[in-house]
Amino acid sequence: MVHFIGAGPGDPELLTIKGKRLIDSADVIIYAGSLVNKKVLDDRKESAVVYNSAYMTLPEVIQVMKETEAKGLSVARVHTGDPSIYGAIREQMDALDRLGISYEVIPGVSSFLAAAASMKKEYTLPGVSQTVILSRLEGRTPVPEKEKILSLAKHHATMIIFLSVGKIEVLVQLLSESYERDTPAAVVYKASWPEEVIVYGTLETIADKVKAAGITKTALVVVGDFLGNAYELSKLYDQNFETEYRKTGGSMKGH
Ligand code: SAH
């Protein structure tokens, strides 16, 4: 059995209990060494064999899984954040399907969620935005035409841009075609790691500030009025609004 595990954004305590149990009992561990905090492997079995996938190709990763499976041993394939977001997990699962090897996926705390926690912000503020767009700039991996930043920015939603801080000037220029120049923006570097840095600014100022801070990778760019202070109170806790659990006025009875 192969266990794909989301290792979380960095802080080893942000690993799920299930993910940790499977890592700690794995016979073979293949981890994405460029981003996964190696501390999540600290309690592994002494006999566990560890591979860093940063040095491996897809066929090599699959080969290790195949050999381990043939011996009846377990593999923990450890991805950063949650494997469903820019995790290159699908191609591995499809290869395992072709080989008839069973697997499961354990979700993890994605870096964009850790970033909100670090900023102490809510991405979906009432009256501001109820939509979160996760995207990236084109790199060596292309982005489909209909999903270009330029088109996505038109919605004025909360936007979180992965894998793109190295080209922050280009990114800000594209975003500014739709968002006002004074729209708040932030860059979160290594959310939840001890070396975390958060840079706040606006679309006008953020690129210079990020350059001055020397941030070139492992960061998210977030943009939107959710970073500001104007919003409406939620209906969920509104005293004039009944829910399935609470009549108007509230009573604080019940559990
Ligand atoms: N699956 C991962 C994302 C992998 S793509 C997840 O769910 O978070 C790698 C990109 O994720 C990086 O270029 C960076 O943009 C972002 N990233 C990963 N970990 C991060 C962290 N701790 N803080 C900020 N950004 C991070």
Side-chain angles (χ1 to χ4, degrees):
M1 178 82 149
V2 174
H3 309 278
F4 289 95
I5 297 163
D11 178 350
E13 289 195 299
L14 292 178
L15 185 59
T16 63
I17 295 166
K18 192 165 191 174
K20 177 164 173 56
R21 174 171 63 74
L22 291 166
I23 290 172
D24 294 352
S25 62
D27 300 303
V28 169
I29 299 172
I30 310 172
Y31 77 108
S34 56
L35 278 172
V36 168
N37 188 346
K38 219 179 162 196
K39 285 200 175 131
V40 304
L41 310 183
D42 276 358
D43 299 326
R44 67 183 182 274
K45 292 202 290 196
E46 223 165 275
S47 59
V49 182
V50 179
Y51 295 88
N52 180 349
S53 62
Y55 300 109
M56 299 163 82
T57 60
L58 174 63
E60 285 169 344
V61 168
I62 301 299
Q63 187 59 28
V64 170
M65 291 174 171
K66 198 172 147 186
E67 284 168 9
T68 310
E69 173 75 10
K71 291 182 203 148
L73 302 175
S74 69
V75 180
R77 173 63 171 115
V78 185
H79 283 266
T80 175
D82 183 89
S84 70
I85 310 285
Y86 305 114
I89 184 184
R90 177 64 191 269
E91 59 194 25
Q92 300 174 68
M93 295 191 290
D94 285 352
L96 294 180
D97 280 339
R98 285 192 291 272
L99 293 167
I101 296 174
S102 59
Y103 54 85
E104 66 172 345
V105 183
I106 316 301
V109 177
S110 180
S111 58
F112 81 94
L113 301 169
S118 295
M119 293 186 292
K120 301 190 175 74
K121 290 287 186 268
E122 176 175 350
Y123 288 138
T124 54
L125 281 183
V128 176
S129 175
Q130 293 288 289
T131 303
V132 182
I133 296 176
L134 308 181
S135 192
R136 61 168 298 172
L137 271 183
E138 205 150 60
R140 275 177 298 176
T141 307
V143 170
E145 191 58 42
K146 286 180 180 159
E147 296 175 16
K148 294 274 150 77
I149 297 287
L150 217 49
S151 341
L152 300 176
K154 289 188 182 133
H155 300 284
H156 281 219
T158 296
M159 275 189 82
I160 299 159
I161 299 116
F162 286 70
L163 295 157
S164 306
V165 75
K167 292 197 224 162
I168 183 117
E169 277 165 336
V170 179
L171 178 63
V172 161
Q173 204 188 336
L174 293 169
L175 291 167
S176 304
E177 299 270 329
S178 283
Y179 292 90
E180 287 74 32
R181 298 283 298 174
D182 62 355
T183 305
V187 165
V188 185
Y189 169 74
K190 290 204 127 182
S192 88
W193 290 72
E195 56 269 45
E196 173 186 292
V197 174
I198 308 180
V199 178
Y200 293 101
T202 63
L203 282 181
E204 187 100 55
T205 62
I206 196 78
D208 285 347
K209 287 186 171 181
V210 164
K211 292 217 153 156
I215 299 169
T216 56
K217 58 175 194 168
T218 326
L220 295 167
V221 183
V222 299
V223 58
D225 288 320
F226 79 95
L227 285 163
N229 294 319
Y231 64 96
E232 291 165 13
L233 295 181
S234 79
K235 296 288 181 232
L236 186 59
Y237 299 110
D238 186 336
Q239 57 179 353
N240 298 315
F241 191 81
E242 285 190 358
T243 73
E244 184 187 342
Y245 297 100
R246 195 194 59 231
K247 300 298 165 208
T248 51
S251 66
M252 291 205 22
K253 280 196 220 103
H255 321 262

